[in-house]
Amino acid sequence: MTLHPPQAAITATGLRKSFGDHVVLDGIDLDIPAGTIFSLLGPNGAGKSTIVKILSTLISADSGQARVLGHDLAQDPDAVRTAIGVTGQYSAVDGLLTGEENLLLMANLHRLGRRRARRRTAELLERFDLVDAAKKAAATYSGGMRRRLDLAMTLVGDPRLIFLDEPTTGLDPRSRRGVWEIIRALVADGVTVFLTTQYLEEADRLADRIAVLDRGTLVAEGTPAELKRRVPGGHFRLRFAEAGDLESAARTLDGSRDDDALALQIPGDGGIESLRALLDRLDDESIKAEELSVHAPDLDDVFLALTGHPSADNNERKAASR
């Protein structure tokens, strides 16, 4: 039996874009399999939204080639537009219309016909848990409800590729997780999701592959686990009940000690094999630790190492702690 590689939803080679003298994209290559979640990370101004606008035909690249769902981006943009959906950073919902009216308007734009438009609208209201709010003005919706309606409007034309440009910006944690569940369900149905986000937890939880964009170039790409293995910073932290126990451990194990906290930090990759080796060493040397914690490099570490910028997740945590 011959195994065929998965069809590519997006392929791009050498995409470049400048605005005046400012180079926004400087040779972007992409190869995104269908039916997966691809997440693009980067600091503000890195060029994430520009890539989305190019691949969704909103603007043209200065040079380079791309195919979206098998259609040449430059030669057949109408076919690309028919096959994709786009949800931008800001909701496209009309607050003066009801949720149902917003969906019917989008169905009319897709020329579904009256009966099919009604059926598709009812399906999406049910799918996105908006039936009870269907007759209410969208202006009365919560942020999470408006985002669900926005996503529902994107799906009216049944696209096989969806661009989600920072879809959960400004949402509370509960609403954000609700959007994550919707995204997972879409991919389970075979939809490809191109996700841009500044929330690293979002990319870590959702993405099959992640690319990091900085100053117009892709500086890294891989699975979340692969990217985390690229940066140092993993360690084990032992805390002891008595100063004597710390002293004994420090003589035996290589690490940095914190006498005030009675703790010893030992370098390691945070993996199971390293942990097992450390536990065996503690047992062999009869070292008794009160607590052991593991820190493996996370996407915050990756983001900072590759771009030199703290992530939005990190900024949020700092703000919350004040």
Side-chain angles (χ1 to χ4, degrees):
M1 180 172 136
T2 302
L3 295 177
H4 299 284
Q7 178 188 0
I10 296 173
T11 57
T13 305
L15 290 183
R16 288 178 168 81
K17 183 68 178 177
S18 298
F19 295 102
D21 294 333
H22 178 52
V23 178
V24 180
L25 301 178
D26 190 13
I28 301 299
D29 298 335
L30 295 171
D31 188 358
I32 302 173
T36 64
I37 301 176
F38 176 86
S39 181
L40 186 63
L41 305 179
N44 287 331
K48 301 187 301 297
S49 294
T50 300
I51 291 180
V52 171
K53 289 177 181 178
I54 289 173
L55 294 175
S56 59
T57 78
L58 294 176
I59 62 176
S60 60
D62 296 334
S63 62
Q65 297 179 328
R67 297 185 70 84
V68 176
L69 296 175
H71 306 292
D72 186 275
L73 192 64
Q75 300 298 322
D76 202 359
D78 288 341
V80 173
R81 295 184 193 112
T82 300
I84 66 172
V86 181
T87 299
Q89 295 180 32
Y90 305 102
S91 174
V93 170
D94 188 329
L96 298 178
L97 301 179
T98 67
E100 183 180 55
E101 289 168 341
N102 270 284
L103 288 168
L104 287 171
L105 175 61
M106 188 60 65
N108 289 334
L109 291 174
H110 281 277
R111 300 178 181 178
L112 295 188
R114 180 175 297 181
R115 181 175 298 177
R116 189 178 169 200
R118 290 281 180 188
R119 184 170 63 249
R120 185 63 173 154
T121 294
E123 290 172 355
L124 290 169
L125 288 170
E126 178 71 28
R127 181 174 185 176
F128 286 83
D129 194 23
L130 292 169
V131 173
D132 292 342
K135 303 294 186 182
K136 298 177 181 178
T140 66
Y141 287 13
S142 67
M145 291 171 65
R146 286 175 68 90
R147 213 46 171 155
R148 294 205 308 274
L149 178 58
D150 204 17
L151 285 168
M153 292 169 65
T154 301
L155 294 178
V156 166
D158 197 23
R160 304 315 296 162
L161 167 64
I162 299 176
F163 293 94
L164 299 180
D165 193 10
E166 302 192 16
T168 62
T169 297
L171 296 186
D172 62 79
R174 182 185 297 273
S175 297
R176 186 175 296 162
R177 282 168 173 76
V179 172
W180 293 353
E181 291 305 313
I182 292 170
I183 293 172
R184 291 189 182 102
L186 291 172
V187 176
D189 287 341
V191 175
T192 305
V193 173
F194 187 111
L195 171 71
T196 73
T197 181
Q198 291 193 61
Y199 297 121
L200 302 191
E201 182 189 8
E202 186 162 270
D204 203 1
R205 294 282 191 92
L206 294 176
D208 298 294
R209 291 188 68 80
I210 294 171
V212 181
L213 183 70
D214 190 37
R215 297 179 177 89
T217 62
L218 292 179
V219 295
E221 184 177 348
T223 66
E226 287 170 347
L227 292 181
K228 291 173 192 176
R229 287 197 294 267
R230 291 184 57 164
V231 299
H235 63 264
F236 302 101
R237 188 173 189 272
L238 300 172
R239 191 178 68 81
F240 301 90
E242 304 289 341
D245 295 331
L246 170 60
E247 187 67 33
S248 176
R251 286 196 302 266
T252 304
L253 304 171
D254 293 327
S256 57
R257 56 191 290 171
D258 181 343
D259 290 310
D260 292 335
L262 295 180
L264 185 67
Q265 183 170 300
I266 302 165
D269 61 9
I272 297 224
E273 291 303 320
S274 297
L275 176 59
R276 182 179 292 114
L278 175 61
L279 292 174
D280 288 343
R281 185 85 183 276
L282 293 176
D283 188 50
D284 291 342
E285 301 293 340
S286 299
I287 297 172
K288 296 183 179 179
E290 191 80 2
E291 293 179 3
L292 185 152
S293 58
V294 180
H295 175 80
D298 57 22
L299 285 183
D300 270 317
D301 300 316
V302 173
F303 196 90
L304 184 59
L306 294 175
T307 71
H309 302 277
S311 70
D313 273 352
N314 197 32
N315 288 335
E316 278 195 351
R317 285 193 288 269
K318 287 180 179 177
S321 67
R322 289 175 185 152

